[in-house]
Amino acid sequence: MDCLQKGCGLVFLKMTMKHSTSGTMRLVCQRSGYRGWVQKITFGLVAQLDLVDLALKFIMISILREDHQMCCLQDLGDDSRFIEFYNLVFMQYNKKDDGSLEPLKQMNIDTGMGLERMARILQKVPNNYETDLIFPIIEKAASMAMVSYAKADDATKTNLKIIGDHMRAVVYLISDGVIPSNIGRGYVVRRLIRRVVRMGRLIGIRGDGHGNSEGAFLPSLAEVVISLSTEIDSDVESRRRSILGELQREEMRFVQTLERGEKLLAELLDEALLNAGNNGNKPSLSGKNVFLLYDTYGFPVEITAEIASEQGVTVDIEGFDIEMENQRKQSQAAHNVVRLSVGNETEIVKNIPDTEFLGYDSLSASAVIKGLLVNGNPVNEVSQGSEVEILLDRTPFYAESGGQVGDNGFLYVNGGEDRRQTTVIEINDVQKSLGNIFVHKGMIKQGSVEVGKEVDASVDAKLRQGAKAHHTATHLLQSALKSVVGSETSQAGSLVAFDHLRFDFNFHRPLSEEELTTIEALINQWIGNAAHVETKVMALQDAKNAGAIAMFGEKYGEQVRVVEVPGISLELCGGTHVSNTAEIRGFKIISEQGIASGIRRIEAVAGDAFVDYVCARDNYMRRLCLSLKVKAEDVNSRVETILEELRATRNVASSLRSKIAVLKAASLASRATTVEPQNVRIVVENMGDVDADGLKSAAEYLIDTLKDPAAVILGSSPGDGKVSLVAAFSPAIVEMGLQAGKFVSGIAKLCGGGGGGKPNFAQAGGRKPENLPDALEKARAEIVARVSGSS
């Protein structure tokens, strides 16, 4: 009803079955109108469940006959007496923005009877949360918070209900392979988890319930959910380890920033309330601040809004959305998105049909030019030397989509009786725009071209083969990952280029060398098996029923293309692929790294790029073997020996430099300045190119030699534009209130650096050696002033 009154666009007939406290049931019919639910008719008491179907049929027939001549017995809006547990929604009209109604193309009836509602009635409890489906989770949370649910106030009960409801949801979601992240359904899980964490802290849960006060409490609650699911969904139990691990990692990750975020939010809310009081406006949290909490401290906007609401402060959601959009634009700035000139899009599309793609079966074809664009604006003719975007009626060129880059190649215009090439256009990218129109981007190398001309389109076969090899290898990689590290991994993005592939996936830790080796070996085994790659077009639902993997967030039509490597991989994919895995030739992982929280990235090569990579590495190894004068199998041990010798040599050199620095320091001791009235001996000197370790040794020697009270400040320029500083104070100097860390930090700033340390000894560095003399003079003046009592 609320959605209707806000103009969401649907008009309903609704029937509701309500269970009364007296044990009987009532059926209520309501019909929506222009201003909400305007008709409300109550039908007779139904005392037995076996009469429900008969009563519903009677009501439906009556409604469809427009027979509303039934008396209204009473208003059942009293939720303290009646429980709604079954309703029917008859969807008939679409309400347009101007308020007019139009019949839906497909009218339907939405029906549902909640399991929790039925359990509530049968178990005779006051709400869904106190049924045996959720209440055991609530009891566990209450015991961990050391509160009694029965005696708790309304706010605590609400928090416990949220914990019970959300915990059940996240356990099943993670069991189904939905991993917390910042995108799509992963973000839904993250929001639910973080809300549970906050609610748990509000009611007083501290620690994991097993004696570790710093531990995560979500796994303990998840154990209850898993035990409740044993006889319902055995898969949840089998995935216990991954569920508990994911919840623990996610909670600890959030807790690290939660306290700082809560403190900042409290400050922002106080500021909003203060400003509102001074200005007489309604207190509001700016979108920029909401985004700061989201981006820096991991606060989902819903949690921020909830906390703000508790203090009577509104949240600028529109401003937050703007900040989010700005971030998206920045992150996508390097992404090549084709848009036909905004002012001309509609006009162009009217005259240009969708492009027919021929590239699955052929790399060349004749086509007709339907449109030419220069700088996004339509033109009729383009000449040699110009960059141009060409729209064809049909093409063998693949347009960038599904992670695969667009094809390269040439368009030729042939003229004269001998069909001689009069125009040559080099195509360096193909993108999709406005649905399914292919935009061929290129440069006219020879001649000119005009709308309506016929061209011969030719795809670069070598580059296409590279894309095909890498695309099929990407499918094999996803299957190998699921096989080696777990079925819960899922694709988070990909790039299929001519010379490499990039695959992003959800996973919580780096892959080990052993895992990477196993994945490589498994993929190369599949390649060596020379498995036939099959492609077919089928209904989307049939593909899903067959177990085909779909990329979350992708939009699919009713008919989809399925790519299968029998027994290995089955995915929905519109990209180009090899016909046999043997065409991939080989597969090699180049790198594996984390790119975001919970997101890993693998980069790899296949096909000709694999051969080139292996040959290049072999060449490097040959040259290394020649330099080291060892066989390839002995390179590791030889390098380790050289590194050990280098470490030993460096230690000797460092020791010698320290001894030289101490010898220099010995000559400085006799030049120490004595400052009255406490006879403090001070040394402030530039020691040339002595390194940081040598400077430290010299300062330690001097402070021991000069005895208490003494202060030593030394500086040097060891090279590479670096500055080293050290300050050493005896106990009496520290008792005067001077601290070496603070003192040397202030001096280091003059040299473009900083540092710190203990009150009696500290080191610092900088990047401006030309400022060192002035910095040491300032250090001398300050230390003399401080110990003489003149400052």
Side-chain angles (χ1 to χ4, degrees):
M1 181 175 70
D2 290 338
C3 290
L4 179 78
Q5 290 174 332
K6 292 173 183 175
C8 73
L10 291 178
V11 177
F12 307 102
L13 286 172
K14 184 174 80 169
M15 286 186 296
T16 303
M17 187 180 304
K18 296 202 173 187
H19 180 276
S20 75
T21 53
S22 63
T24 61
M25 283 171 285
R26 292 183 180 273
L27 297 175
V28 179
C29 172
Q30 293 173 290
R31 181 178 181 183
S32 65
Y34 292 91
R35 298 178 181 175
W37 300 101
V38 298
Q39 291 181 339
K40 186 171 186 181
I41 305 167
T42 302
F43 296 85
L45 296 176
V46 182
Q48 299 179 27
L49 283 173
D50 57 6
L51 297 179
V52 169
D53 285 341
L54 180 61
L56 289 176
K57 289 176 183 177
F58 169 69
I59 295 167
M60 290 169 65
I61 293 170
S62 298
I63 291 172
L64 294 175
R65 289 178 177 174
E66 297 290 334
D67 181 9
H68 304 303
Q69 306 302 315
M70 302 180 189
C71 60
C72 182
L73 299 182
Q74 65 181 76
D75 184 352
L76 301 185
D78 184 359
D79 288 337
S80 65
R81 296 183 58 204
F82 302 102
I83 302 167
E84 177 185 315
F85 72 95
Y86 188 21
N87 61 56
L88 297 172
V89 180
F90 294 73
M91 284 172 274
Q92 183 176 357
Y93 296 105
N94 177 54
K95 187 174 183 180
K96 301 170 72 172
D97 292 337
D98 61 5
S100 62
L101 301 177
E102 62 179 3
L104 294 174
K105 291 181 180 179
Q106 184 173 348
M107 302 178 191
N108 56 80
I109 301 172
D110 180 31
T111 178
M113 181 183 293
L115 173 64
E116 290 85 354
R117 292 175 176 180
M118 291 301 297
R120 172 183 176 182
I121 293 169
L122 294 174
Q123 294 175 19
K124 298 180 180 179
V125 292
N127 56 68
N128 295 351
Y129 300 99
E130 295 184 35
T131 65
D132 58 7
L133 295 166
I134 301 177
F135 197 60
I137 311 168
I138 291 175
E139 286 185 310
K140 177 65 176 178
S143 68
M144 293 182 73
M146 293 185 289
V147 298
S148 166
Y149 177 82
K151 298 178 181 179
D153 56 33
D154 289 343
T156 301
K157 282 186 176 180
T158 297
N159 291 339
L160 284 167
K161 289 173 183 177
I162 291 171
I163 291 172
D165 175 80
H166 287 15
M167 278 305 304
R168 188 172 63 151
V170 297
V171 167
Y172 277 95
L173 283 166
I174 295 174
S175 175
D176 285 342
V178 184
I179 305 301
S181 69
N182 283 334
I183 58 173
R185 56 185 181 171
Y187 184 54
V188 174
V189 178
R190 175 159 286 171
R191 283 163 47 193
L192 293 175
I193 290 174
R194 293 188 171 186
R195 194 174 187 216
V196 172
V197 173
R198 178 176 177 263
M199 294 304 169
R201 292 169 66 87
L202 283 177
I203 65 173
I205 297 180
R206 294 293 184 271
D208 60 2
H210 301 291
N212 181 5
S213 60
E214 301 298 324
F217 70 86
L218 296 188
S220 295
L221 297 179
E223 292 277 10
V224 179
V225 181
I226 294 170
S227 66
L228 291 172
S229 69
T230 303
E231 297 181 7
I232 304 169
D233 186 351
S234 58
D235 288 341
V236 178
E237 172 62 39
S238 66
R239 294 165 185 157
R240 173 190 294 265
R241 183 176 177 182
S242 63
I243 293 169
L244 300 183
E246 198 63 53
L247 286 170
Q248 181 178 31
R249 284 186 294 273
E250 186 66 15
E251 179 179 349
M252 298 311 294
R253 185 182 294 123
F254 184 43
V255 166
Q256 289 174 1
T257 59
L258 179 59
E259 289 185 1
R260 285 184 294 155
E262 286 179 328
K263 183 179 179 181
L264 174 61
L265 178 55
E267 293 172 357
L268 293 173
L269 291 174
D270 288 343
E271 183 180 342
L273 290 166
L274 179 62
N275 291 338
N278 294 334
N279 302 328
N281 298 325
K282 189 173 182 179
S284 178
L285 204 59
S286 72
K288 188 172 183 179
N289 285 331
V290 175
F291 180 76
L292 172 67
L293 288 162
Y294 164 82
D295 192 46
T296 305
Y297 300 98
F299 269 59
V301 63
E302 294 80 8
I303 290 182
T304 300
E306 184 175 356
I307 297 173
S309 176
E310 292 169 359
Q311 297 197 32
V313 178
T314 62
V315 169
D316 179 12
I317 298 297
E318 185 176 340
F320 170 78
D321 291 338
I322 291 173
E323 295 292 333
M324 283 290 291
E325 184 60 28
N326 289 338
Q327 186 190 59
R328 289 191 192 99
K329 288 178 179 178
Q330 291 172 6
S331 67
Q332 294 175 355
H335 184 64
N336 188 16
V337 178
V338 172
R339 296 284 292 174
L340 307 178
S341 178
V342 174
N344 300 311
E345 282 180 358
T346 305
E347 195 63 34
I348 292 173
V349 173
K350 283 182 181 178
N351 303 316
I352 297 177
D354 286 349
T355 309
E356 180 186 358
F357 178 58
L358 310 171
Y360 291 136
D361 305 312
S362 176
L363 295 182
S364 62
S366 61
V368 175
I369 297 176
K370 292 294 185 179
L372 294 171
L373 299 103
V374 175
N375 297 324
N377 296 307
V379 295
N380 289 321
E381 186 176 358
V382 187
S383 302
Q384 181 175 329
S386 299
E387 292 186 350
V388 64
E389 295 175 349
I390 302 174
L391 314 180
L392 303 176
D393 63 338
R394 58 208 298 262
T395 182
F397 284 82
Y398 183 83
E400 180 178 324
S401 61
Q404 181 176 329
V405 298
D407 279 329
N408 289 185
F410 290 89
L411 299 180
Y412 303 102
V413 177
N414 300 319
E417 294 181 358
D418 57 355
R419 300 289 294 170
R420 185 169 42 86
Q421 289 178 359
T422 59
T423 302
V424 178
I425 308 165
E426 183 178 8
I427 302 300
N428 51 44
D429 190 19
V430 183
Q431 298 280 332
K432 283 185 181 180
S433 182
L434 296 174
N436 205 34
I437 295 176
F438 287 33
V439 182
H440 304 71
K441 302 180 67 175
M443 169 75 74
I444 300 181
K445 295 293 187 179
Q446 174 186 322
S448 63
V449 66
E450 61 186 78
V451 175
K453 281 285 187 180
E454 185 175 298
V455 296
D456 290 333
S458 179
V459 175
D460 187 315
K462 182 177 175 62
L463 294 182
R464 167 67 79 83
Q465 183 62 26
K468 288 165 63 176
H470 284 104
H471 207 151
T472 307
T474 300
H475 286 210
L476 298 182
L477 173 57
Q478 175 154 224
S479 294
L481 278 166
K482 289 181 177 293
S483 175
V484 175
V485 302
S487 59
E488 67 271 16
T489 61
S490 60
Q491 181 177 344
S494 68
L495 170 68
V496 176
F498 304 126
D499 58 355
H500 72 285
L501 68 86
R502 189 175 69 213
F503 187 79
D504 300 339
F505 59 101
N506 295 298
F507 204 56
H508 59 273
R509 62 169 175 80
L511 301 188
S512 66
E513 285 298 322
E514 182 181 354
E515 287 171 329
L516 292 172
T517 299
T518 303
I519 289 168
E520 268 187 4
L522 188 55
I523 293 172
N524 283 310
Q525 177 186 324
W526 292 334
I527 293 171
N529 290 342
H532 181 64
V533 179
E534 302 174 0
T535 60
K536 62 187 77 172
V537 176
M538 62 175 69
L540 176 60
Q541 193 56 52
D542 290 342
K544 290 182 176 180
N545 293 341
I549 296 175
M551 176 67 178
F552 180 77
E554 284 287 322
K555 294 181 179 179
Y556 299 99
E558 293 182 4
Q559 295 291 309
V560 294
R561 186 167 181 264
V562 178
V563 178
E564 179 178 16
V565 183
I568 299 171
S569 171
L570 184 66
E571 295 192 32
L572 304 184
C573 182
T576 62
H577 290 267
V578 299
S579 58
N580 190 292
T581 58
E583 294 178 43
I584 300 175
R585 305 179 70 181
F587 177 88
K588 181 68 180 174
I589 293 175
I590 298 174
S591 67
E592 190 274 339
Q593 61 183 329
I595 60 169
S597 176
I599 306 291
R600 308 295 302 176
R601 170 173 291 173
I602 285 178
E603 295 192 67
V605 289
D608 289 348
F610 162 78
V611 176
D612 293 342
Y613 181 86
V614 172
C615 288
R617 292 301 179 274
D618 183 63
N619 185 41
Y620 300 150
M621 180 59 76
R622 287 172 183 270
R623 289 158 58 186
L624 188 60
C625 291
L626 285 173
S627 298
L628 297 177
K629 296 181 174 57
V630 295
K631 296 178 181 179
E633 56 267 29
D634 296 327
V635 166
N636 262 0
S637 59
R638 178 62 181 139
V639 170
E640 287 176 1
T641 299
I642 291 173
L643 289 175
E644 186 57 42
E645 292 172 352
L646 181 61
R647 281 191 289 268
T649 302
R650 284 178 174 171
N651 289 337
V652 171
S654 178
S655 176
L656 289 173
R657 284 194 296 269
S658 294
K659 289 178 180 179
I660 292 171
V662 169
L663 289 174
K664 287 185 177 182
S667 64
L668 296 177
S670 60
R671 292 156 50 187
T673 301
T674 301
V675 179
E676 301 293 342
Q678 300 188 43
N679 295 324
V680 178
R681 305 197 69 190
I682 295 175
V683 173
V684 181
E685 292 289 343
N686 186 336
M687 296 195 68
D689 61 355
V690 173
D691 65 13
D693 289 337
L695 210 62
K696 177 175 180 289
S697 297
E700 289 172 341
Y701 171 82
L702 283 169
I703 205 70
D704 288 340
T705 301
L706 296 175
K707 306 300 182 184
D708 200 13
V712 176
I713 297 98
L714 303 177
S716 67
S717 304
D720 297 327
K722 295 180 180 179
V723 173
S724 291
L725 291 163
V726 63
F729 294 166
S730 67
I733 302 299
V734 175
E735 289 176 4
M736 293 179 187
L738 278 78
Q739 293 190 8
K742 292 182 179 179
F743 187 88
V744 79
S745 176
I747 302 303
K749 289 179 181 178
L750 298 176
C751 297
K758 299 178 181 179
N760 65 319
F761 195 92
Q763 291 178 282
R767 303 293 301 181
K768 296 180 179 179
E770 66 274 13
N771 293 350
L772 180 59
D774 291 341
L776 290 175
E777 281 304 313
K778 181 178 181 181
R780 184 190 305 277
E782 285 191 9
I783 193 68
V784 169
R786 294 290 296 276
V787 300
S788 65
S790 60
S791 66

